[in-house]
Amino acid sequence: MTFALIGTLLAIVAAMMLLAVGVAIYYGEDWQSLLLSSGITMAVGALLYLPNVKNSNRDVRKRDGFLIVTLGWVAMSMLGSLPFALTGAIDNIVDAIFETVSGFTTTGATILTDIEGQAKSILFWRSMTHWIGGMGIIVLTVAILPLLGVGGMQLFIAESPGITPDKLHPRITGTAKRLWFIYFALTAAEAIALWVAGMGWFDAINHAMATMATGGFSTKNASIAAFNSPAIHYIITIFMFLAGVNFTLLYFGFSGRIKQLRQNEEFRVYSWNTLIFSGVVALVLIIFQSYSIEEGIRGGFFTVISIMTSTGFVTENYLLWPNFLIFLIFVLFFSGGSTGSTAGGIKVMRHIIMIKNSFLELKRQIHPNAIIPVRFNNRAVPQNITNTVAAFVLIWLTVFFVGSFVMSMFGLDFMSAVGSVTATLGNIGPGLGSVGPVDNFAHIPAGGKLFLSFLMLLGRLEMFTVLILFMPYFWQRR
């Protein structure tokens, strides 16, 4: 059943490619190569699906979920690079894979030096990879698993960002459909708002897909800075913030259950962090950088929310700001949005649990026999969850340090090595140094790009899902 489900994923990717074919036909571009890409992807999907669907065990276990999600994402990235390669938009296969992995993992790191010189159909497919990967194509597939007679909870747990996914509906398929409805509705709403604000339809649709996926691919070389419109900046800021909120809470909020939002501890901390850090940046820009009040507020909130949610859109070159603001931006690289959102990073909930557990550990030193659980949303957090959070953060930081060392071995200076790893592992996009907000990843050696692609995959699938496949005991039969 593993190969059958991966085949289903590839069939969905092939169907999405057909949308890019339509864009190419509309603009009179090379649609044949895109159609060939879709056909090859569909054929591979069929070869994986048809021989395995009838005779496979239809019970998807947790172990199978890890394998399907990881291999599915790798397969999507490989075949998703075909439109770039076959149209000649990217003539280097490593670069094509890097760009595709960056898209599906909603990282937004790019090797393209002239984005505006690309065909519109390629830019559309590039944004589409964001949109597919944003909520997770696995969740979309879960919605159609009843057609295959397969239960989907294991897949949902393995792919969903965060610790544990909340269920909006007793059946996991109902949950997936509701999440995708919210995702689609917000994308459409933002596209319309951007169009009303003066952005062309093509740019509006592409930027809406990238925003709700917290991806950051733009159709312009200068990213959002190319649009000299405060209204456009504010609209994208608002939707970036929403994309960083747990989609379950968004569902409750849009259903009129505002109390669920107010009582959620992660949402409160996420909102206060956004307000405080944005306010600090805005204040510094106004006082020390001679920004007007409106420009400081707009630049501060846009940049902080873009980094916190791992979207990576740019209106300011933050590397030209005072050093302590650059340090603040670097700290925000480790923040992340809410669990259950499309944002990358460590996630706010994990930070809350780690900080609470650290302070409680001081109390336990005084009362060693007392049982003092960490509480989140006024409920005790099971010890196994606390242990998992601690392990995740430790592994995340370990990969960060090891990755920075590896990238320095590829010839990058200290700031660029650290910046490239935080940008890819956190699925942020722009980093520091030579991979900063006005630069790209084109100059990195091929080996470095493949390594960073692996880090993007690790970050998107939240470490455990990928790393567990490298453990010998995963493959042991019991």
Side-chain angles (χ1 to χ4, degrees), residues 227-258:
F227 302 96
N228 189 23
S229 168
I232 289 175
H233 295 180
Y234 284 123
I235 290 169
I236 293 178
T237 300
I238 292 170
F239 280 93
M240 283 193 300
F241 177 83
L242 291 176
V245 177
N246 187 315
F247 270 66
T248 301
L249 290 180
L250 289 179
Y251 176 82
F252 290 144
F254 293 140
S255 301
R257 288 176 275 181
I258 304 300

Short mmCIF file of all heavy atoms in Angstrom, two decimals, residues 227-258:
data_model
loop_
_atom_site.label_atom_id
_atom_site.label_comp_id
_atom_site.label_asym_id
_atom_site.label_seq_id
_atom_site.Cartn_x
_atom_site.Cartn_y
_atom_site.Cartn_z
N PHE A 227 6.39 46.23 -5.16
CA PHE A 227 5.06 46.86 -5.16
C PHE A 227 5.08 48.02 -4.17
O PHE A 227 5.00 47.82 -2.96
CB PHE A 227 3.98 45.84 -4.78
CG PHE A 227 3.93 44.64 -5.69
CD1 PHE A 227 4.60 43.47 -5.35
CD2 PHE A 227 3.25 44.70 -6.90
CE1 PHE A 227 4.57 42.37 -6.18
CE2 PHE A 227 3.22 43.59 -7.75
CZ PHE A 227 3.88 42.43 -7.38
N ASN A 228 5.21 49.21 -4.70
CA ASN A 228 5.29 50.41 -3.85
C ASN A 228 3.90 50.85 -3.43
O ASN A 228 3.41 51.92 -3.79
CB ASN A 228 6.01 51.53 -4.60
CG ASN A 228 6.32 52.71 -3.71
OD1 ASN A 228 6.39 52.57 -2.48
ND2 ASN A 228 6.48 53.88 -4.31
N SER A 229 3.26 49.96 -2.67
CA SER A 229 1.87 50.19 -2.26
C SER A 229 1.69 49.78 -0.80
O SER A 229 1.73 48.58 -0.49
CB SER A 229 0.91 49.40 -3.15
OG SER A 229 -0.40 49.39 -2.60
N PRO A 230 1.48 50.74 0.10
CA PRO A 230 1.24 50.38 1.50
C PRO A 230 0.06 49.42 1.67
O PRO A 230 0.11 48.53 2.51
CB PRO A 230 0.96 51.73 2.17
CG PRO A 230 1.70 52.73 1.32
CD PRO A 230 1.56 52.20 -0.08
N ALA A 231 -0.99 49.59 0.85
CA ALA A 231 -2.16 48.73 0.97
C ALA A 231 -1.79 47.27 0.70
O ALA A 231 -2.21 46.36 1.43
CB ALA A 231 -3.24 49.18 -0.02
N ILE A 232 -0.98 47.03 -0.33
CA ILE A 232 -0.55 45.67 -0.64
C ILE A 232 0.29 45.10 0.49
O ILE A 232 0.13 43.94 0.89
CB ILE A 232 0.24 45.65 -1.97
CG1 ILE A 232 -0.71 45.90 -3.15
CG2 ILE A 232 0.99 44.34 -2.15
CD1 ILE A 232 -0.03 46.01 -4.49
N HIS A 233 1.17 45.91 1.05
CA HIS A 233 2.02 45.46 2.15
C HIS A 233 1.17 45.07 3.37
O HIS A 233 1.43 44.04 4.01
CB HIS A 233 3.02 46.55 2.53
CG HIS A 233 4.02 46.86 1.47
ND1 HIS A 233 5.01 47.81 1.60
CD2 HIS A 233 4.19 46.33 0.21
CE1 HIS A 233 5.74 47.85 0.50
NE2 HIS A 233 5.25 46.98 -0.36
N TYR A 234 0.18 45.90 3.69
CA TYR A 234 -0.65 45.61 4.85
C TYR A 234 -1.51 44.36 4.64
O TYR A 234 -1.69 43.56 5.56
CB TYR A 234 -1.56 46.80 5.17
CG TYR A 234 -0.84 47.96 5.82
CD1 TYR A 234 -0.86 49.23 5.26
CD2 TYR A 234 -0.13 47.78 7.01
CE1 TYR A 234 -0.20 50.29 5.86
CE2 TYR A 234 0.53 48.84 7.62
CZ TYR A 234 0.50 50.10 7.04
OH TYR A 234 1.15 51.14 7.64
N ILE A 235 -2.02 44.19 3.43
CA ILE A 235 -2.84 43.01 3.14
C ILE A 235 -2.02 41.74 3.32
O ILE A 235 -2.44 40.78 3.98
CB ILE A 235 -3.42 43.08 1.71
CG1 ILE A 235 -4.50 44.17 1.64
CG2 ILE A 235 -4.01 41.73 1.29
CD1 ILE A 235 -4.94 44.49 0.22
N ILE A 236 -0.82 41.73 2.75
CA ILE A 236 0.03 40.54 2.87
C ILE A 236 0.44 40.31 4.32
O ILE A 236 0.50 39.17 4.79
CB ILE A 236 1.27 40.68 1.96
CG1 ILE A 236 0.83 40.64 0.49
CG2 ILE A 236 2.29 39.57 2.24
CD1 ILE A 236 1.95 40.83 -0.50
N THR A 237 0.69 41.39 5.07
CA THR A 237 1.03 41.27 6.49
C THR A 237 -0.08 40.57 7.26
O THR A 237 0.18 39.66 8.06
CB THR A 237 1.29 42.65 7.10
OG1 THR A 237 2.38 43.30 6.42
CG2 THR A 237 1.63 42.54 8.59
N ILE A 238 -1.30 40.99 7.03
CA ILE A 238 -2.45 40.40 7.73
C ILE A 238 -2.59 38.91 7.41
O ILE A 238 -2.77 38.07 8.30
CB ILE A 238 -3.75 41.15 7.37
CG1 ILE A 238 -3.72 42.57 7.95
CG2 ILE A 238 -4.98 40.39 7.87
CD1 ILE A 238 -4.84 43.46 7.46
N PHE A 239 -2.47 38.57 6.13
CA PHE A 239 -2.65 37.17 5.75
C PHE A 239 -1.46 36.31 6.16
O PHE A 239 -1.62 35.11 6.42
CB PHE A 239 -2.94 37.06 4.25
CG PHE A 239 -4.36 37.35 3.89
CD1 PHE A 239 -4.76 38.63 3.53
CD2 PHE A 239 -5.32 36.35 3.94
CE1 PHE A 239 -6.08 38.91 3.22
CE2 PHE A 239 -6.65 36.62 3.63
CZ PHE A 239 -7.04 37.91 3.27
N MET A 240 -0.26 36.89 6.22
CA MET A 240 0.88 36.14 6.76
C MET A 240 0.62 35.79 8.22
O MET A 240 0.90 34.67 8.67
CB MET A 240 2.18 36.94 6.63
CG MET A 240 2.77 36.97 5.25
SD MET A 240 4.48 37.61 5.20
CE MET A 240 4.28 39.27 5.85
N PHE A 241 0.09 36.75 8.97
CA PHE A 241 -0.22 36.50 10.37
C PHE A 241 -1.25 35.38 10.50
O PHE A 241 -1.10 34.46 11.33
CB PHE A 241 -0.76 37.77 11.03
CG PHE A 241 -1.17 37.59 12.46
CD1 PHE A 241 -0.23 37.64 13.48
CD2 PHE A 241 -2.50 37.34 12.80
CE1 PHE A 241 -0.61 37.45 14.81
CE2 PHE A 241 -2.88 37.16 14.11
CZ PHE A 241 -1.93 37.21 15.12
N LEU A 242 -2.28 35.42 9.68
CA LEU A 242 -3.31 34.38 9.72
C LEU A 242 -2.74 33.02 9.34
O LEU A 242 -3.09 31.99 9.94
CB LEU A 242 -4.46 34.73 8.77
CG LEU A 242 -5.33 35.93 9.16
CD1 LEU A 242 -6.35 36.22 8.08
CD2 LEU A 242 -6.02 35.68 10.49
N ALA A 243 -1.83 32.99 8.37
CA ALA A 243 -1.23 31.72 7.95
C ALA A 243 -0.38 31.11 9.06
O ALA A 243 -0.15 29.90 9.07
CB ALA A 243 -0.38 31.93 6.70
N GLY A 244 0.08 31.94 10.00
CA GLY A 244 0.88 31.45 11.10
C GLY A 244 0.06 30.99 12.29
O GLY A 244 0.62 30.56 13.31
N VAL A 245 -1.27 31.08 12.18
CA VAL A 245 -2.17 30.65 13.25
C VAL A 245 -2.60 29.20 13.00
O VAL A 245 -2.74 28.77 11.85
CB VAL A 245 -3.43 31.56 13.31
CG1 VAL A 245 -4.41 31.07 14.37
CG2 VAL A 245 -3.03 32.99 13.59
N ASN A 246 -2.77 28.46 14.08
CA ASN A 246 -3.28 27.09 13.98
C ASN A 246 -4.58 27.10 13.17
O ASN A 246 -5.53 27.81 13.51
CB ASN A 246 -3.53 26.54 15.38
CG ASN A 246 -3.90 25.08 15.39
OD1 ASN A 246 -4.72 24.61 14.60
ND2 ASN A 246 -3.31 24.33 16.30
N PHE A 247 -4.64 26.30 12.10
CA PHE A 247 -5.80 26.33 11.22
C PHE A 247 -7.06 25.79 11.92
O PHE A 247 -8.17 26.12 11.54
CB PHE A 247 -5.52 25.54 9.94
CG PHE A 247 -4.94 26.39 8.85
CD1 PHE A 247 -3.67 26.96 9.00
CD2 PHE A 247 -5.63 26.66 7.70
CE1 PHE A 247 -3.12 27.76 8.02
CE2 PHE A 247 -5.10 27.46 6.70
CZ PHE A 247 -3.83 28.01 6.86
N THR A 248 -6.87 24.99 12.93
CA THR A 248 -8.03 24.56 13.72
C THR A 248 -8.65 25.75 14.42
O THR A 248 -9.87 25.91 14.44
CB THR A 248 -7.59 23.52 14.77
OG1 THR A 248 -7.02 22.40 14.11
CG2 THR A 248 -8.78 23.05 15.59
N LEU A 249 -7.81 26.63 14.99
CA LEU A 249 -8.31 27.84 15.65
C LEU A 249 -8.97 28.78 14.65
O LEU A 249 -9.97 29.44 14.96
CB LEU A 249 -7.18 28.55 16.38
CG LEU A 249 -6.61 27.85 17.62
CD1 LEU A 249 -5.49 28.69 18.23
CD2 LEU A 249 -7.71 27.61 18.66
N LEU A 250 -8.40 28.86 13.46
CA LEU A 250 -9.03 29.68 12.42
C LEU A 250 -10.42 29.17 12.10
O LEU A 250 -11.37 29.95 11.91
CB LEU A 250 -8.17 29.69 11.16
CG LEU A 250 -6.84 30.47 11.22
CD1 LEU A 250 -6.11 30.35 9.88
CD2 LEU A 250 -7.08 31.93 11.56
N TYR A 251 -10.54 27.84 12.05
CA TYR A 251 -11.85 27.25 11.79
C TYR A 251 -12.83 27.63 12.90
O TYR A 251 -13.97 28.03 12.63
CB TYR A 251 -11.72 25.73 11.70
CG TYR A 251 -13.04 25.00 11.54
CD1 TYR A 251 -13.64 24.89 10.29
CD2 TYR A 251 -13.69 24.44 12.64
CE1 TYR A 251 -14.84 24.22 10.14
CE2 TYR A 251 -14.88 23.77 12.49
CZ TYR A 251 -15.46 23.66 11.25
OH TYR A 251 -16.65 23.01 11.10
N PHE A 252 -12.38 27.54 14.15
CA PHE A 252 -13.24 27.92 15.27
C PHE A 252 -13.59 29.40 15.19
O PHE A 252 -14.74 29.80 15.42
CB PHE A 252 -12.55 27.62 16.60
CG PHE A 252 -12.42 26.15 16.90
CD1 PHE A 252 -11.30 25.66 17.56
CD2 PHE A 252 -13.41 25.26 16.52
CE1 PHE A 252 -11.17 24.31 17.84
CE2 PHE A 252 -13.30 23.90 16.79
CZ PHE A 252 -12.18 23.43 17.45
N GLY A 253 -12.59 30.24 14.87
CA GLY A 253 -12.83 31.67 14.81
C GLY A 253 -13.82 32.04 13.73
O GLY A 253 -14.74 32.83 13.96
N PHE A 254 -13.66 31.47 12.53
CA PHE A 254 -14.58 31.76 11.44
C PHE A 254 -15.97 31.16 11.68
O PHE A 254 -16.95 31.58 11.05
CB PHE A 254 -14.02 31.24 10.12
CG PHE A 254 -12.78 31.97 9.67
CD1 PHE A 254 -11.72 31.30 9.10
CD2 PHE A 254 -12.68 33.35 9.83
CE1 PHE A 254 -10.57 31.97 8.70
CE2 PHE A 254 -11.54 34.03 9.43
CZ PHE A 254 -10.49 33.34 8.86
N SER A 255 -16.04 30.19 12.60
CA SER A 255 -17.33 29.59 12.95
C SER A 255 -18.03 30.37 14.08
O SER A 255 -19.10 29.96 14.54
CB SER A 255 -17.14 28.13 13.38
OG SER A 255 -16.56 27.37 12.34
N GLY A 256 -17.40 31.45 14.53
CA GLY A 256 -18.00 32.27 15.56
C GLY A 256 -17.60 31.91 16.98
O GLY A 256 -18.03 32.54 17.94
N ARG A 257 -16.74 30.88 17.11
CA ARG A 257 -16.30 30.46 18.45
C ARG A 257 -15.03 31.21 18.84
O ARG A 257 -13.94 30.64 18.97
CB ARG A 257 -16.11 28.95 18.48
CG ARG A 257 -17.41 28.18 18.44
CD ARG A 257 -17.17 26.67 18.38
NE ARG A 257 -16.95 26.21 17.02
CZ ARG A 257 -16.75 24.93 16.70
NH1 ARG A 257 -16.71 24.01 17.64
NH2 ARG A 257 -16.57 24.57 15.45
N ILE A 258 -15.16 32.53 19.01
CA ILE A 258 -14.02 33.39 19.31
C ILE A 258 -13.40 33.03 20.64
O ILE A 258 -12.19 33.23 20.86
CB ILE A 258 -14.46 34.86 19.32
CG1 ILE A 258 -15.13 35.23 17.98
CG2 ILE A 258 -13.28 35.78 19.57
CD1 ILE A 258 -14.24 35.06 16.79
#
